[in-house]
Amino acid sequence: MTYDDDELLPLSGIQHYSFCPRQWALIHVAQEWAENALTVQGGIVHKRAHDASLRERRGDTIELRSVNVCSRRLGLVGQCDVVEFTQTESGVTLAGEEGLWSVFPIEYKRGHRKSIDADRLQLCAQAMALEEMLCCEIGEACLYYHETRSRERVILDSALREETRRCAREMHRLFSRKHIPRARSRPSCRSCSIKDVCLPATAKRESVSGYYQRRIGEVL
Ligand code: SF4
């Protein structure tokens, strides 16, 4: 199955979905976030994957920044911070360059390495989009964390790829039904950027029907 232009969702949303499906839905479904397919459609797939002004060469490596990517299989569209192409014996061809090149996406993050897979899933989705666009295979990619100035090499194994596909499928399912999952209060809610909108504590409250049944029982 592949998705059309008007069905594409923002790729970066996969990190929100992974953190909490409700957070993703409040941002992307309830507010129908501006960075949806309508704002990026219009040939993103056909647009050249780089801008010459965002290109830097170091030895046998070419670095492209802000590379637009799209996966019709995942139904996601977004941008890679950096894609490194290194000359190799097998790989992809590059316009204006001789030889073959390996493809290595790098995503920059402000914070530090996390125990959950949110950042890895975003990176994996970017790599899968690049594979689809360039007809290549990408075995690993990299996250760079500013706070700790450290790199994390991410192996794009079958488990991470399958979880990426599952998240993308679920995002599309929720988006097409305009469904917002119920809040489930948990420790990660404390660090949630939209907890004041979500009000997770209300999830523990009594339902309306439960309230009336209890009050009727008190009166009788
Ligand atoms: S506050 Fe908790 S339940 Fe609500 S969106 Fe954030 S993480 Fe999800």
Side-chain angles (χ1 to χ4, degrees):
M1 170 181 179
T2 58
Y3 293 90
D4 292 330
D5 280 359
D6 59 357
E7 296 174 308
L8 300 174
L9 296 174
L11 185 151
S12 59
I14 199 167
Q15 62 184 315
H16 302 135
Y17 182 86
S18 167
F19 178 74
C20 171
R22 178 172 167 82
Q23 188 200 61
W24 175 82
L26 285 170
I27 295 171
H28 297 267
V29 178
Q31 299 172 18
E32 299 196 18
W33 197 30
E35 192 197 334
N36 64 12
L38 295 176
T39 65
V40 291
Q41 75 181 55
I44 184 110
V45 179
H46 309 294
K47 191 176 175 183
R48 286 184 59 173
H50 64 268
D51 177 334
S53 65
L54 301 174
R55 178 182 177 127
E56 190 179 325
R57 182 168 199 142
R58 288 194 311 273
D60 62 354
T61 298
I62 294 174
E63 189 177 270
L64 302 183
R65 292 185 290 279
S66 303
V67 179
N68 293 320
V69 293
C70 174
S71 167
R72 293 204 176 278
R73 291 187 197 129
L74 294 173
L76 301 177
V77 63
Q79 210 171 56
C80 291
D81 285 340
V82 170
V83 182
E84 271 184 8
F85 295 89
T86 303
Q87 204 152 24
T88 177
E89 290 183 356
S90 64
V92 302
T93 55
L94 282 182
E97 301 289 343
E98 290 186 358
L100 297 173
W101 303 78
S102 64
V103 186
F104 189 71
I106 304 171
E107 177 69 10
Y108 285 77
K109 295 288 179 191
R110 274 197 301 269
H112 50 79
R113 182 175 177 162
K114 303 175 187 72
S115 56
I116 62 169
D117 274 336
D119 295 343
R120 293 174 205 106
L121 287 165
Q122 182 185 359
L123 185 65
C124 187
Q126 291 170 351
M128 290 170 76
L130 283 166
E131 288 178 333
E132 205 176 306
M133 294 167 69
L134 301 174
C135 295
C136 65
E137 288 181 14
I138 303 173
E140 60 180 22
C142 177
L143 293 164
Y144 181 86
Y145 291 101
H146 277 288
E147 194 176 306
T148 53
R149 305 220 178 274
S150 60
R151 281 181 162 223
E152 177 191 349
R153 283 185 100 85
V154 177
I155 305 297
L156 307 172
D157 59 19
S158 57
L160 188 61
R161 288 169 184 270
E162 189 45 47
E163 180 60 7
T164 303
R165 289 188 200 98
R166 188 194 68 78
C167 288
R169 274 197 307 272
E170 282 300 300
M171 288 157 63
H172 278 280
R173 191 178 65 80
L174 293 180
F175 194 83
S176 64
R177 294 168 53 206
K178 300 285 180 265
H179 177 66
I180 305 198
R182 288 180 63 132
R184 283 193 301 123
S185 186
R186 50 195 166 163
S188 57
C189 293
R190 283 197 294 275
S191 62
C192 176
S193 56
I194 60 166
K195 58 180 179 293
D196 293 340
V197 176
C198 171
L199 303 174
T202 62
K204 287 183 178 167
R205 286 186 191 158
E206 192 173 23
S207 68
V208 173
S209 61
Y211 170 80
Y212 280 114
Q213 279 174 10
R214 181 171 58 77
R215 290 306 307 269
I216 289 168
E218 286 171 5
V219 171
L220 298 176

